[in-house]
Amino acid sequence: MTIKVGVIGTGAIGREHIDRIENILSGGEVKAVTDVNQASAYKAVEDYHLDATVYPDDVALVGDPNIDAVFVTSWGPAHEQSVLLAIEAGKYVFCEKPLATTAEGCMRIVEAEQKHGKRLVQVGFMRRYDEGYVQLKEALDNNEIGDPLMIHCSHRNPGVDENYKTDMAVTETLIHEIDALHWLIHDNYESVRVDFPKKTKYSHAELQDPQVFTLKTQGGVLIKAEVFVNCKYGYDIQCEVMGEEGIAKLPEVASVVVRKESKLSSNILNDWKVRFMDAYNKELQNFLDSLVKYEEPQGPTSWDGYIAAVTADACLKAQETGEEVEIKLQDTPDFYKNETLVRN
Ligand code: NAI
């Protein structure tokens, strides 16, 4: 069975997902597109040789009876409306992060999905599909290092442009750690504090860089998460979990090790798209496959989108106030309690 996909938002990641569905993955076909910039939608049809209808807006696209699944890859503030429309029409949804820009918006989606009665929505947190994170999670779930006590992690980019401001360290960067870490250790966040070390000379007036987030979980695990987006040397994701019996670390990206001129060296990537290319592919293949196999998506849920929104809000408040801020999550509904699968 081929899943017929409609894409809302044909910008950068929308185009990448179209390319994946059409040229890399199996079991999906893009049959409809829309974008507020209609020229962009027509260009996507032309560039990827799609046999697809261009719709004027998300309402019209979601109303196409031939579409099985909707991909929401528009700007963050537009996501909630498109996801709600899709749920109302009983369509599956793959929504890029954020699920909605507010916790209340995420809750409206959670409620609509529960009312519908079965899972329809998957949120685009692709780290869960990265082979290194999958191995790390397996080590923790197999109790190889005992109970986790602390996590040290870093999210470093070589550089960002002038549009990247202090709050984006949370909404664009740390958001991926926020999702991956609670999933890794089966725990919920309780509070967050932010420290600003000495600012790098490579930053600009409206960006504190680096930043260090200290998150505490309900189970007592302490997380030190560094975001450093002008680190210069490369795109580097580190994650080390300290447990009662040992330490488990995210593997380094495979790279040839060279011994030459009294030096031992290997390469570090520069581009996040390259770093997580396999993860994006597995994420979408898993989404398409699970609709056929289980008639439900198996990846990150609307509830995970809600957790990310509440936690991100607290991180933003902690940035502004310099105080430790409580992360107030509602109890997980039974509907979302089953652990989601990640293996293809
Ligand atoms: P972009 O700006 O390149 O593309 C967004 C497109 O959506 C634009 O073409 C715009 O015209 C269109 N659009 C905006 N509002 C719309 C609406 N109401 N209906 C239809 N089209 C609309 O942005 P980009 O980089 O593609 O990001 C899109 C989303 O994907 C963002 O929410 C971003 O956070 C997320 N993203 C997630 C990543 C991940 O690692 N999971 C990586 C990059 C982006």
Side-chain angles (χ1 to χ4, degrees), residues 22 73 94 124 142 154 178 196 201 219 221 237 249 258 268 306 320 324:
E22 291 292 310
T73 49
F94 178 87
N142 293 338
S154 323
I178 289 174
F196 298 128
K201 66 180 179 188
V221 177
I237 301 297
K249 197 168 186 309
V258 175
I268 295 174
Y306 163 78
E320 281 167 22
E324 181 164 350

Side-chain angles (χ1 to χ4, degrees), residues 11-13 35-36 73-75 78-79 96-98 124 126 176 272 280:
I13 201 142
D35 195 295
V36 281
T73 49
S74 53
W75 294 321
H79 290 184
E96 265 307 338
K97 58 91 184 157
M126 77 296 177
H176 290 291
W272 55 268
Y280 284 115

Side-chain angles (χ1 to χ4, degrees), residues 15-120:
R15 288 174 62 93
E16 281 172 29
H17 288 345
I18 289 171
D19 185 33
R20 283 191 176 91
I21 294 166
E22 291 292 310
N23 300 316
I24 300 166
L25 311 178
S26 59
E29 193 183 351
V30 178
K31 297 299 283 178
V33 292
T34 187
D35 195 295
V36 281
N37 174 0
Q38 287 273 286
S40 157
Y42 281 103
K43 186 153 184 357
V45 170
E46 190 186 323
D47 290 351
Y48 297 104
H49 311 291
L50 304 178
D51 174 19
T53 309
V54 176
Y55 283 105
D57 56 29
D58 55 355
V59 178
L61 180 141
V62 168
D64 181 338
N66 293 317
I67 297 301
D68 306 306
V70 175
F71 275 51
V72 180
T73 49
S74 53
W75 294 321
H79 290 184
E80 181 187 344
Q81 168 179 308
S82 300
V83 174
L84 286 172
L85 281 168
I87 293 174
E88 204 178 312
K91 313 259 184 198
Y92 297 111
V93 188
F94 178 87
C95 179
E96 265 307 338
K97 58 91 184 157
L99 178 61
T101 47
T102 61
E104 296 74 31
C106 291
M107 203 40 104
R108 282 189 282 275
I109 291 171
V110 159
E111 281 161 6
E113 193 179 33
Q114 289 184 83
K115 197 166 154 218
H116 175 78
K118 76 167 193 171
R119 274 201 62 193
L120 293 174

Side-chain angles (χ1 to χ4, degrees), residues 29-302:
E29 193 183 351
V30 178
K31 297 299 283 178
V33 292
T34 187
D35 195 295
V36 281
N37 174 0
Q38 287 273 286
S40 157
Y42 281 103
K43 186 153 184 357
V45 170
E46 190 186 323
D47 290 351
Y48 297 104
H49 311 291
L50 304 178
D51 174 19
T53 309
V54 176
Y55 283 105
D57 56 29
D58 55 355
V59 178
L61 180 141
V62 168
D64 181 338
N66 293 317
I67 297 301
D68 306 306
V70 175
F71 275 51
V72 180
T73 49
S74 53
W75 294 321
H79 290 184
E80 181 187 344
Q81 168 179 308
S82 300
V83 174
L84 286 172
L85 281 168
I87 293 174
E88 204 178 312
K91 313 259 184 198
Y92 297 111
V93 188
F94 178 87
C95 179
E96 265 307 338
K97 58 91 184 157
L99 178 61
T101 47
T102 61
E104 296 74 31
C106 291
M107 203 40 104
R108 282 189 282 275
I109 291 171
V110 159
E111 281 161 6
E113 193 179 33
Q114 289 184 83
K115 197 166 154 218
H116 175 78
K118 76 167 193 171
R119 274 201 62 193
L120 293 174
V121 181
Q122 174 163 332
V123 185
F125 287 124
M126 77 296 177
R127 289 250 183 124
R128 298 186 187 200
Y129 297 87
D130 173 71
E131 187 54 33
Y133 273 99
V134 170
Q135 287 181 22
L136 184 55
K137 170 120 172 107
E138 279 173 354
L140 298 174
D141 285 353
N142 293 338
N143 205 27
E144 285 182 32
I145 59 161
D147 274 0
L149 307 173
M150 192 175 170
I151 300 178
H152 300 268
C153 59
S154 323
H155 190 150
R156 302 187 185 126
N157 292 58
V160 289
D161 63 31
E162 295 273 315
N163 296 320
Y164 188 107
K165 314 252 169 75
T166 296
D167 60 328
M168 292 166 78
V170 174
T171 56
E172 299 300 318
T173 305
L174 185 75
I175 196 76
H176 290 291
E177 271 75 18
I178 289 174
D179 178 67
L181 299 180
H182 82 84
W183 165 75
L184 268 182
I185 59 172
H186 304 269
D187 205 345
N188 271 324
Y189 302 116
E190 191 175 77
S191 69
V192 61
R193 200 190 77 226
V194 187
D195 288 295
F196 298 128
K198 181 178 171 182
K199 186 168 159 178
T200 168
K201 66 180 179 188
Y202 296 109
S203 190
H204 58 86
E206 293 182 70
L207 173 60
Q208 278 292 342
D209 188 42
Q211 302 181 30
V212 179
F213 297 82
T214 305
L215 289 140
K216 288 183 196 153
T217 70
Q218 291 170 3
V221 177
L222 189 93
I223 299 166
K224 284 273 178 201
E226 169 209 312
V227 173
F228 186 17
V229 294
N230 286 289
C231 81
K232 305 305 279 181
Y233 72 84
Y235 182 72
D236 193 13
I237 301 297
Q238 299 286 328
C239 184
E240 182 177 284
V241 184
M242 193 176 92
E244 281 180 321
E245 314 288 341
I247 285 177
K249 197 168 186 309
L250 189 68
E252 293 291 340
V253 177
S255 166
V256 170
V257 178
V258 175
R259 287 172 157 79
K260 193 178 166 191
E261 293 171 350
S262 311
K263 279 194 182 138
L264 184 66
S265 63
S266 58
N267 291 333
I268 295 174
L269 293 173
N270 245 302
D271 186 345
W272 55 268
K273 277 186 225 148
V274 178
R275 170 67 180 82
F276 287 111
M277 175 105 66
D278 284 347
Y280 284 115
N281 289 340
K282 283 188 183 153
E283 168 191 50
L284 294 196
Q285 188 65 66
N286 182 279
F287 176 76
L288 295 171
D289 291 348
S290 47
L291 302 189
V292 176
K293 205 167 167 190
Y294 306 106
E295 297 185 352
E296 278 189 354
Q298 301 290 300
T301 64
S302 300

